[in-house]
Amino acid sequence: MLLPAEYARYEKHLNLPEIGLEGQLKLKQARVLVVGAGGLGCPVLLYLTAAGVGTIGVIDPDTVAVSNLQRQVLYTTEQVGKPKATIAVNSLKKINPEIRFNAYAYALDRSNARTLIDEYDLVVDCTDNFTVRYLVNDVCVMQEKPFIYGAIHRFEGQVAVLNARLAASDVQPEEVRRGPTYRCLFPEFPNQMEIPNCAETGVMGVLPGVIGTYQANEVIKLITGIGHLLSEELLMVDLLAMSFQKIRVRRRLDAEAAAQNGWEEGQRIAVKTAVRQSITALELADRLAQSEDFFLLDVRERPEYNICHLDNAVLIPVNIIANNVKRIPTDRPVVVYCHHGIRSQYVIDYLQKEFGFTNLMNLQGGINSWARDVQPEMEVY
């Protein structure tokens, strides 16, 4: 039941015949996991909190960076350097203290995905990481849970409701049918070296607000059972042209097998890369102070490098790594870094797989962690 204060808070929902008391109670009882508290996650979290979704999980390993503030509207300048998941939950509690929040200030990965997702009714994919996106897909398909997909690039965005239950067919009314999955949209994992990111290509500040709001809308419709869902359609939005297009998508016949195979392949890769090395900013600083001979490889773009970089670091941006492999030594430790440690890990995986490198270490948290833990006076973007 709703508390007296909740009747006042959700008055406008209660006045809608399509939602009403029954729909608001469904929202209160729902448990939603939001993966990523960045550009897409901020509007999703704001509107799900305001709407009265009873339990909201927020998982994100990142800290707030100055460059996030152009589009990630949950954060302030004073919160730069602090963990997004924790800061987001603290802000959201002030908006709606009736909601139960769970903050996970670490990455969703193969060691925790099944357990975490199992605790929720549905997942909202707000990540910009393809590995995590395919992981969310595979676990949700195996656990028969829907998830709301969103993605952005420059001025364009996409939204879809994936793996959702569809209406029973007239031919087989008792059959449980589900909509398409992420692997139905994108069967093949993209080449990591060709994946664009905001740091390289930029993104219109309001774009994640628009796409994230559409995602939140689909969550509310899915929970309350109202309206037409994007469950067999991919919505494509272009804010520069102000155009909207829907593409019809069908579930592949082997969707369950594809998810299971994807999970098992990921497990095999995880075993192979279990010995993958990384180094913390504090450990690197200590070893550099002892004059240990490291090759520091910066894989960001030139404008990022010009803002700040580690002393004596060599710049080889991600998109030209393949043509500059000979510049990377094999006879001494190589520390690869980027802004947050994501692009650098892609580079390491690529170099290990394609060229057999065995001397690479990823700087955990990237230059952002170096500025936070070692060199606070460094101005990161």
Side-chain angles (χ1 to χ4, degrees):
M1 59 180 293
L2 296 182
L3 301 173
E6 291 175 315
Y7 276 97
R9 180 182 289 270
Y10 307 123
E11 177 186 2
K12 304 308 179 187
H13 269 179
L14 297 172
N15 289 342
L16 290 171
E18 294 84 353
I19 296 181
L21 179 58
E22 181 181 356
Q24 194 62 50
L25 286 172
K26 289 179 179 179
L27 288 169
K28 184 175 182 177
Q29 294 161 1
R31 300 175 58 84
V32 177
L33 178 63
V34 179
V35 181
L40 291 173
C42 285
V44 167
L45 289 166
L46 283 166
Y47 278 108
L48 295 187
T49 297
V53 172
T55 301
I56 299 175
V58 186
I59 182 165
D60 194 309
D62 265 351
T63 56
V64 179
V66 171
S67 61
N68 298 153
L69 303 180
Q70 166 251 15
R71 63 199 178 281
Q72 299 181 19
V73 295
L74 261 175
Y75 311 117
T76 66
T77 304
E78 293 73 21
Q79 294 168 338
V80 168
K82 297 181 180 179
K84 289 182 181 179
T86 305
I87 295 300
V89 164
N90 290 341
S91 299
L92 296 168
K93 285 179 178 177
K94 296 175 183 178
I95 295 173
N96 194 343
E98 304 298 334
I99 306 300
R100 178 185 175 188
F101 294 99
N102 299 315
Y104 311 103
Y106 50 81
L108 186 77
D109 58 30
R110 313 194 75 79
S111 70
N112 57 37
R114 280 182 153 177
T115 301
L116 275 177
I117 290 175
D118 188 54
E119 296 177 5
Y120 294 87
D121 304 319
L122 61 96
V123 178
V124 190
D125 167 23
C126 298
T127 182
D128 58 359
N129 183 310
F130 280 90
T131 300
V132 176
R133 184 165 290 154
Y134 278 94
L135 177 62
V136 167
N137 175 86
D138 296 341
V139 174
C140 284
V141 172
M142 290 189 292
Q143 295 187 357
E144 298 185 338
K145 294 188 177 184
F147 65 102
I148 288 73
Y149 156 70
I152 54 174
H153 176 64
R154 290 171 53 82
F155 300 94
E156 301 174 4
Q158 301 177 347
V159 186
V161 179
L162 301 176
N163 202 49
R165 291 188 64 163
L166 304 177
S169 66
D170 294 332
V171 179
Q172 293 178 299
E174 296 181 358
E175 179 188 18
V176 176
R177 299 190 305 129
R178 289 191 174 272
T181 73
Y182 187 71
R183 289 186 183 274
C184 302
L185 290 171
F186 306 103
E188 299 297 327
F189 196 99
N191 185 325
Q192 298 282 25
M193 304 301 292
E194 299 174 353
I195 296 173
N197 61 74
C198 291
E200 295 175 3
T201 63
V203 62
M204 181 72 165
V206 301
L207 176 64
V210 174
I211 300 302
T213 300
Y214 278 133
Q215 286 182 280
N217 182 56
E218 294 302 299
V219 171
I220 293 170
K221 287 158 54 182
L222 181 61
I223 292 171
T224 57
I226 65 172
H228 171 79
L229 287 173
L230 292 169
S231 54
E232 290 187 288
E233 296 169 319
L234 175 67
L235 175 65
M236 305 176 69
V237 179
D238 183 339
L239 292 189
L240 202 57
M242 210 55 197
S243 64
F244 300 79
Q245 181 182 7
K246 286 183 181 179
I247 297 177
R248 193 77 171 165
V249 184
R250 296 293 188 186
R251 186 181 181 92
R252 54 193 282 185
L253 296 177
D254 65 341
E256 290 82 2
Q260 184 66 43
N261 292 340
W263 171 265
E264 292 174 357
E265 176 62 20
Q267 291 291 80
R268 287 192 289 271
I269 293 173
V271 170
K272 285 183 180 180
T273 59
V275 297
R276 186 168 59 193
Q277 289 184 302
S278 62
I279 189 170
T280 68
L282 289 172
E283 182 184 356
L284 176 61
D286 182 61
R287 292 170 69 174
L288 286 172
Q290 297 177 43
S291 300
E292 191 163 342
D293 186 21
F294 283 105
F295 182 87
L296 303 178
L297 174 58
D298 190 322
V299 297
R300 298 172 300 156
E301 296 301 300
R302 170 63 68 177
E304 297 177 275
Y305 181 88
N306 290 342
I307 293 172
C308 61
H309 59 268
L310 301 186
D311 291 343
N312 301 315
V314 174
L315 175 67
I316 308 179
V318 170
N319 61 349
I320 63 170
I321 281 286
N323 295 326
N324 288 270
V325 173
K326 292 183 178 180
R327 295 175 59 192
I328 305 172
T330 58
D331 58 350
R332 56 180 166 139
V334 175
V335 174
V336 189
Y337 75 90
C338 60
H339 190 188
H340 286 112
I342 297 174
R343 281 175 283 171
S344 52
Q345 189 59 68
Y346 289 159
V347 169
I348 289 174
D349 291 344
Y350 170 76
L351 291 174
Q352 288 177 337
K353 179 181 178 182
E354 299 296 330
F355 299 96
F357 277 83
T358 60
N359 60 326
L360 308 177
M361 288 186 282
N362 189 34
L363 178 60
Q364 293 180 19
I367 199 167
N368 192 65
S369 67
W370 179 275
R372 183 188 66 230
D373 300 335
V374 178
Q375 198 174 340
E377 68 276 12
M378 176 182 283
E379 293 188 9
V380 293
Y381 45 97

